[in-house]
């Protein structure tokens, strides 16, 4: 069709989208074009704003490297990552779920650590934290032999790959759950940290007067054939920014009770120390690992 006026554009594009062979891609492209065109009409996007938008999308790509993913950071900052997560988990959005954001810092090949071991690999000042976790299925039955990657930021708020003072793979480890579905380890209490703000995401936060912090959290990725890979973050419910996470990742189900103890630890005699007990619930499904956001 020949386009005469702006009202004709959407119809012409949708007509082409209708011809997409793959049915799911067709559904996505028709909806995308419908909403995108409606959005442009709604805000009466100017030519200058359109050029700026194109430049921003190009910049998101240019800023993304093997060690940094600005696209994932932007998706989180707009709540897209959490929306996708909650729509696709918890019996497809019907119940609460232990699933949370993958975030930009998961790495393949974390070193194996026996249960009870430590993931502190270089001198990392901080209060000791003892994590006792269980992995169960939707019926509450333990899942043994699950592979669990854990990772978290240091007590100064940096992941090892962002911080030359930490040994490679510091505060990362891979565990296997025992017959009761348990895994447990020692580490140091992490703190909340600011996401990188030197790029496009930083400019957005500045324009909206938003702080760049994520509340303190422990990442986990749990793999066992027969179950959907569980990607989770457990958040410190006492963190001052627990309800203003810049990545909108905190859900009620992922609040963790990081308990402070002021009496000596029963075996290690440290004071003070923290404990975290948490139960991860896996859903049945196909175990597909995500693509690591960084190397
Ligand atoms: Fe994180």
């Amino acid at each position: 069709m020949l386009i005469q006026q702006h009202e004709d554009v959407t119809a012409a594009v949708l007509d082409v989208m209708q011809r997409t062979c793959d049915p799911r891609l067709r559904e996505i492209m028709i909806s995308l074009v419908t909403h995108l065109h409606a959005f442009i009409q709604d805000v009466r996007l100017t030519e200058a704003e359109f050029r700026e938008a194109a430049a921003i999308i190009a910049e998101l790509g240019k800023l993304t490297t093997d060690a940094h993913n600005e696209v994932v950071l932007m998706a989180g900052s707009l709540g897209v990552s959490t929306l996708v997560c909650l729509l696709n988990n918890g019996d497809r959005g019907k119940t609460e779920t232990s699933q949370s954001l993958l975030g930009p810092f998961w790495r393949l090949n974390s070193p194996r650590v026996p249960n009870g071991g430590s993931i502190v690999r270089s001198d990392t000042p901080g209060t000791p934290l003892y994590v006792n976790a269980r992995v169960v299925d939707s019926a509450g039955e333990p899942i043994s032999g699950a592979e669990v990657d854990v990772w978290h930021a240091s007590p100064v708020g940096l992941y090892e790959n962002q911080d030359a003072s930490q040994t490679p793979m510091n505060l990362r480890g891979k565990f296997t759950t025992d017959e009761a579905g348990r895994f447990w380890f020692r580490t140091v209490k992490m703190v909340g940290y600011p996401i990188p703000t030197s790029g496009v995401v930083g400019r957005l936060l500045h324009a909206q007067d938003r702080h760049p912090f994520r509340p303190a959290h422990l990442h986990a990725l749990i793999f066992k054939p027969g179950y959907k890979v569980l990607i989770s973050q457990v958040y410190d419910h006492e963190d001052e920014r627990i309800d203003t996470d810049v990545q909108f990742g905190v859900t009620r189900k992922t609040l963790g009770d990081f308990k402070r103890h002021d009496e000596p630890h029963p075996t290690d005699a440290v004071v003070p120390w923290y404990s975290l007990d948490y139960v991860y619930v896996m859903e049945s499904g196909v175990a597909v690992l995500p693509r690591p956001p960084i190397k």
Side-chain angles (χ1 to χ4, degrees), residues 65-95:
T65 66
D66 283 348
H68 173 82
N69 197 316
E70 189 81 3
V71 179
V72 171
L73 213 51
M74 181 59 92
S77 303
L78 296 176
V80 171
S81 314
T82 293
L83 181 56
V84 172
C85 172
L86 296 185
L87 274 174
N88 285 283
N89 293 286
D91 198 13
R92 298 190 72 80
K94 292 199 202 82
T95 62

mmCIF file of all heavy atoms in Angstrom, residues 65-95:
data_model
loop_
_atom_site.group_PDB
_atom_site.id
_atom_site.type_symbol
_atom_site.label_atom_id
_atom_site.label_comp_id
_atom_site.label_asym_id
_atom_site.label_seq_id
_atom_site.Cartn_x
_atom_site.Cartn_y
_atom_site.Cartn_z
ATOM 1 N N THR A 65 30.695 -5.000 26.774
ATOM 2 C CA THR A 65 31.949 -5.705 26.492
ATOM 3 C C THR A 65 31.894 -7.081 27.157
ATOM 4 O O THR A 65 30.876 -7.448 27.748
ATOM 5 C CB THR A 65 33.139 -4.935 27.087
ATOM 6 O OG1 THR A 65 33.015 -4.960 28.522
ATOM 7 C CG2 THR A 65 33.170 -3.487 26.613
ATOM 8 N N ASP A 66 33.013 -7.810 27.114
ATOM 9 C CA ASP A 66 33.088 -9.100 27.806
ATOM 10 C C ASP A 66 32.964 -8.940 29.315
ATOM 11 O O ASP A 66 32.664 -9.895 30.030
ATOM 12 C CB ASP A 66 34.428 -9.795 27.502
ATOM 13 C CG ASP A 66 34.418 -10.414 26.120
ATOM 14 O OD1 ASP A 66 33.327 -10.495 25.516
ATOM 15 O OD2 ASP A 66 35.499 -10.813 25.656
ATOM 16 N N ALA A 67 33.233 -7.747 29.815
ATOM 17 C CA ALA A 67 33.241 -7.550 31.265
ATOM 18 C C ALA A 67 32.103 -6.658 31.762
ATOM 19 O O ALA A 67 31.955 -6.431 32.961
ATOM 20 C CB ALA A 67 34.576 -6.934 31.688
ATOM 21 N N HIS A 68 31.294 -6.135 30.868
ATOM 22 C CA HIS A 68 30.236 -5.214 31.283
ATOM 23 C C HIS A 68 29.074 -5.322 30.309
ATOM 24 O O HIS A 68 29.280 -5.353 29.095
ATOM 25 C CB HIS A 68 30.783 -3.777 31.305
ATOM 26 C CG HIS A 68 29.713 -2.751 31.548
ATOM 27 N ND1 HIS A 68 29.263 -2.460 32.816
ATOM 28 C CD2 HIS A 68 28.994 -1.982 30.704
ATOM 29 C CE1 HIS A 68 28.307 -1.541 32.725
ATOM 30 N NE2 HIS A 68 28.129 -1.240 31.466
ATOM 31 N N ASN A 69 27.848 -5.363 30.844
ATOM 32 C CA ASN A 69 26.689 -5.478 29.965
ATOM 33 C C ASN A 69 25.700 -4.348 30.252
ATOM 34 O O ASN A 69 24.876 -4.419 31.155
ATOM 35 C CB ASN A 69 26.020 -6.841 30.146
ATOM 36 C CG ASN A 69 25.101 -7.153 28.985
ATOM 37 O OD1 ASN A 69 24.351 -6.295 28.539
ATOM 38 N ND2 ASN A 69 25.183 -8.375 28.481
ATOM 39 N N GLU A 70 25.817 -3.275 29.466
ATOM 40 C CA GLU A 70 24.978 -2.090 29.673
ATOM 41 C C GLU A 70 23.518 -2.368 29.292
ATOM 42 O O GLU A 70 22.605 -1.774 29.853
ATOM 43 C CB GLU A 70 25.538 -0.923 28.844
ATOM 44 C CG GLU A 70 24.898 0.436 29.122
ATOM 45 C CD GLU A 70 25.438 1.143 30.367
ATOM 46 O OE1 GLU A 70 26.370 0.613 31.014
ATOM 47 O OE2 GLU A 70 24.923 2.235 30.699
ATOM 48 N N VAL A 71 23.311 -3.313 28.380
ATOM 49 C CA VAL A 71 21.939 -3.627 27.947
ATOM 50 C C VAL A 71 21.170 -4.290 29.097
ATOM 51 O O VAL A 71 20.026 -3.917 29.399
ATOM 52 C CB VAL A 71 21.959 -4.543 26.700
ATOM 53 C CG1 VAL A 71 20.534 -4.884 26.278
ATOM 54 C CG2 VAL A 71 22.705 -3.873 25.559
ATOM 55 N N VAL A 72 21.815 -5.257 29.759
ATOM 56 C CA VAL A 72 21.177 -5.930 30.894
ATOM 57 C C VAL A 72 20.926 -4.923 32.022
ATOM 58 O O VAL A 72 19.884 -4.948 32.678
ATOM 59 C CB VAL A 72 22.062 -7.097 31.394
ATOM 60 C CG1 VAL A 72 21.535 -7.664 32.703
ATOM 61 C CG2 VAL A 72 22.108 -8.193 30.344
ATOM 62 N N LEU A 73 21.890 -4.031 32.205
ATOM 63 C CA LEU A 73 21.745 -3.014 33.248
ATOM 64 C C LEU A 73 20.530 -2.108 32.967
ATOM 65 O O LEU A 73 19.761 -1.771 33.867
ATOM 66 C CB LEU A 73 23.027 -2.171 33.254
ATOM 67 C CG LEU A 73 23.537 -1.603 34.545
ATOM 68 C CD1 LEU A 73 23.651 -2.656 35.628
ATOM 69 C CD2 LEU A 73 24.896 -0.939 34.310
ATOM 70 N N MET A 74 20.353 -1.757 31.714
ATOM 71 C CA MET A 74 19.212 -0.913 31.347
ATOM 72 C C MET A 74 17.904 -1.686 31.504
ATOM 73 O O MET A 74 16.908 -1.155 32.015
ATOM 74 C CB MET A 74 19.367 -0.406 29.904
ATOM 75 C CG MET A 74 18.240 0.506 29.458
ATOM 76 S SD MET A 74 18.074 1.994 30.500
ATOM 77 C CE MET A 74 19.114 3.143 29.578
ATOM 78 N N ALA A 75 17.899 -2.958 31.100
ATOM 79 C CA ALA A 75 16.680 -3.769 31.241
ATOM 80 C C ALA A 75 16.275 -3.838 32.717
ATOM 81 O O ALA A 75 15.097 -3.695 33.057
ATOM 82 C CB ALA A 75 16.913 -5.173 30.685
ATOM 83 N N GLY A 76 17.250 -4.011 33.587
ATOM 84 C CA GLY A 76 16.957 -4.040 35.017
ATOM 85 C C GLY A 76 16.458 -2.702 35.519
ATOM 86 O O GLY A 76 15.515 -2.631 36.317
ATOM 87 N N SER A 77 17.068 -1.637 35.051
ATOM 88 C CA SER A 77 16.712 -0.293 35.518
ATOM 89 C C SER A 77 15.325 0.131 35.081
ATOM 90 O O SER A 77 14.748 1.070 35.625
ATOM 91 C CB SER A 77 17.733 0.735 35.008
ATOM 92 O OG SER A 77 19.030 0.374 35.431
ATOM 93 N N LEU A 78 14.780 -0.566 34.066
ATOM 94 C CA LEU A 78 13.425 -0.273 33.595
ATOM 95 C C LEU A 78 12.413 -1.307 34.103
ATOM 96 O O LEU A 78 11.251 -1.288 33.700
ATOM 97 C CB LEU A 78 13.406 -0.242 32.057
ATOM 98 C CG LEU A 78 14.250 0.866 31.406
ATOM 99 C CD1 LEU A 78 14.223 0.736 29.889
ATOM 100 C CD2 LEU A 78 13.752 2.253 31.812
ATOM 101 N N GLY A 79 12.884 -2.253 34.941
ATOM 102 C CA GLY A 79 11.975 -3.259 35.491
ATOM 103 C C GLY A 79 11.635 -4.374 34.516
ATOM 104 O O GLY A 79 10.821 -5.260 34.829
ATOM 105 N N VAL A 80 12.238 -4.358 33.347
ATOM 106 C CA VAL A 80 11.910 -5.362 32.331
ATOM 107 C C VAL A 80 12.349 -6.750 32.786
ATOM 108 O O VAL A 80 11.613 -7.737 32.646
ATOM 109 C CB VAL A 80 12.578 -4.992 30.980
ATOM 110 C CG1 VAL A 80 12.432 -6.123 29.967
ATOM 111 C CG2 VAL A 80 11.967 -3.712 30.434
ATOM 112 N N SER A 81 13.542 -6.831 33.374
ATOM 113 C CA SER A 81 14.081 -8.142 33.768
ATOM 114 C C SER A 81 13.178 -8.807 34.804
ATOM 115 O O SER A 81 12.883 -10.002 34.715
ATOM 116 C CB SER A 81 15.486 -7.973 34.334
ATOM 117 O OG SER A 81 16.254 -7.134 33.511
ATOM 118 N N THR A 82 12.743 -8.051 35.790
ATOM 119 C CA THR A 82 11.891 -8.627 36.837
ATOM 120 C C THR A 82 10.517 -9.004 36.287
ATOM 121 O O THR A 82 9.954 -10.038 36.647
ATOM 122 C CB THR A 82 11.762 -7.650 38.014
ATOM 123 O OG1 THR A 82 13.051 -7.533 38.622
ATOM 124 C CG2 THR A 82 10.774 -8.144 39.055
ATOM 125 N N LEU A 83 9.982 -8.179 35.409
ATOM 126 C CA LEU A 83 8.678 -8.498 34.819
ATOM 127 C C LEU A 83 8.748 -9.820 34.055
ATOM 128 O O LEU A 83 7.883 -10.696 34.212
ATOM 129 C CB LEU A 83 8.239 -7.358 33.892
ATOM 130 C CG LEU A 83 6.883 -7.521 33.206
ATOM 131 C CD1 LEU A 83 5.764 -7.749 34.206
ATOM 132 C CD2 LEU A 83 6.580 -6.315 32.327
ATOM 133 N N VAL A 84 9.792 -9.991 33.259
ATOM 134 C CA VAL A 84 9.950 -11.234 32.491
ATOM 135 C C VAL A 84 10.115 -12.411 33.451
ATOM 136 O O VAL A 84 9.519 -13.480 33.269
ATOM 137 C CB VAL A 84 11.159 -11.127 31.533
ATOM 138 C CG1 VAL A 84 11.454 -12.484 30.889
ATOM 139 C CG2 VAL A 84 10.886 -10.093 30.447
ATOM 140 N N CYS A 85 10.901 -12.199 34.503
ATOM 141 C CA CYS A 85 11.146 -13.268 35.479
ATOM 142 C C CYS A 85 9.841 -13.706 36.147
ATOM 143 O O CYS A 85 9.532 -14.897 36.207
ATOM 144 C CB CYS A 85 12.138 -12.760 36.530
ATOM 145 S SG CYS A 85 12.364 -13.890 37.906
ATOM 146 N N LEU A 86 9.054 -12.764 36.623
ATOM 147 C CA LEU A 86 7.854 -13.130 37.382
ATOM 148 C C LEU A 86 6.746 -13.688 36.480
ATOM 149 O O LEU A 86 5.918 -14.474 36.920
ATOM 150 C CB LEU A 86 7.349 -11.930 38.184
ATOM 151 C CG LEU A 86 8.324 -11.431 39.267
ATOM 152 C CD1 LEU A 86 7.694 -10.318 40.085
ATOM 153 C CD2 LEU A 86 8.788 -12.562 40.177
ATOM 154 N N LEU A 87 6.743 -13.281 35.222
ATOM 155 C CA LEU A 87 5.749 -13.828 34.289
ATOM 156 C C LEU A 87 6.032 -15.282 33.955
ATOM 157 O O LEU A 87 5.127 -16.046 33.615
ATOM 158 C CB LEU A 87 5.778 -13.032 32.971
ATOM 159 C CG LEU A 87 4.933 -11.774 32.907
ATOM 160 C CD1 LEU A 87 5.213 -11.051 31.593
ATOM 161 C CD2 LEU A 87 3.453 -12.103 33.009
ATOM 162 N N ASN A 88 7.298 -15.674 34.036
ATOM 163 C CA ASN A 88 7.696 -16.997 33.547
ATOM 164 C C ASN A 88 8.001 -18.006 34.646
ATOM 165 O O ASN A 88 8.384 -19.133 34.349
ATOM 166 C CB ASN A 88 8.925 -16.852 32.637
ATOM 167 C CG ASN A 88 8.549 -16.281 31.283
ATOM 168 O OD1 ASN A 88 8.019 -16.983 30.434
ATOM 169 N ND2 ASN A 88 8.779 -14.994 31.110
ATOM 170 N N ASN A 89 7.858 -17.607 35.898
ATOM 171 C CA ASN A 89 8.166 -18.514 37.000
ATOM 172 C C ASN A 89 7.023 -18.501 38.005
ATOM 173 O O ASN A 89 6.061 -17.762 37.842
ATOM 174 C CB ASN A 89 9.483 -18.092 37.651
ATOM 175 C CG ASN A 89 10.648 -18.303 36.701
ATOM 176 O OD1 ASN A 89 11.067 -19.433 36.456
ATOM 177 N ND2 ASN A 89 11.159 -17.219 36.134
ATOM 178 N N GLY A 90 7.147 -19.338 39.047
ATOM 179 C CA GLY A 90 6.065 -19.423 40.013
ATOM 180 C C GLY A 90 4.790 -19.898 39.333
ATOM 181 O O GLY A 90 3.751 -19.223 39.397
ATOM 182 N N ASP A 91 4.889 -21.070 38.668
ATOM 183 C CA ASP A 91 3.735 -21.584 37.929
ATOM 184 C C ASP A 91 3.206 -20.519 36.967
ATOM 185 O O ASP A 91 2.024 -20.194 36.949
ATOM 186 C CB ASP A 91 2.636 -22.050 38.911
ATOM 187 C CG ASP A 91 1.626 -22.967 38.246
ATOM 188 O OD1 ASP A 91 1.894 -23.440 37.128
ATOM 189 O OD2 ASP A 91 0.561 -23.192 38.853
ATOM 190 N N ARG A 92 4.122 -19.961 36.198
ATOM 191 C CA ARG A 92 3.835 -18.917 35.202
ATOM 192 C C ARG A 92 3.098 -17.716 35.804
ATOM 193 O O ARG A 92 2.055 -17.270 35.304
ATOM 194 C CB ARG A 92 3.077 -19.500 34.016
ATOM 195 C CG ARG A 92 3.908 -20.570 33.276
ATOM 196 C CD ARG A 92 3.275 -20.991 31.966
ATOM 197 N NE ARG A 92 3.364 -19.963 30.938
ATOM 198 C CZ ARG A 92 4.447 -19.741 30.202
ATOM 199 N NH1 ARG A 92 5.537 -20.440 30.392
ATOM 200 N NH2 ARG A 92 4.448 -18.812 29.284
ATOM 201 N N GLY A 93 3.659 -17.224 36.892
ATOM 202 C CA GLY A 93 3.158 -15.982 37.464
ATOM 203 C C GLY A 93 2.024 -16.146 38.449
ATOM 204 O O GLY A 93 1.493 -15.160 38.959
ATOM 205 N N LYS A 94 1.646 -17.399 38.777
ATOM 206 C CA LYS A 94 0.492 -17.585 39.678
ATOM 207 C C LYS A 94 0.903 -17.587 41.148
ATOM 208 O O LYS A 94 0.107 -17.255 42.013
ATOM 209 C CB LYS A 94 -0.202 -18.909 39.347
ATOM 210 C CG LYS A 94 -0.881 -18.924 37.989
ATOM 211 C CD LYS A 94 -1.920 -20.053 37.927
ATOM 212 C CE LYS A 94 -2.226 -20.454 36.508
ATOM 213 N NZ LYS A 94 -1.237 -21.405 35.928
ATOM 214 N N THR A 95 2.143 -18.027 41.424
ATOM 215 C CA THR A 95 2.570 -18.084 42.823
ATOM 216 C C THR A 95 3.898 -17.350 42.986
ATOM 217 O O THR A 95 4.555 -17.004 42.001
ATOM 218 C CB THR A 95 2.776 -19.548 43.273
ATOM 219 O OG1 THR A 95 3.823 -20.118 42.468
ATOM 220 C CG2 THR A 95 1.515 -20.367 43.116
#
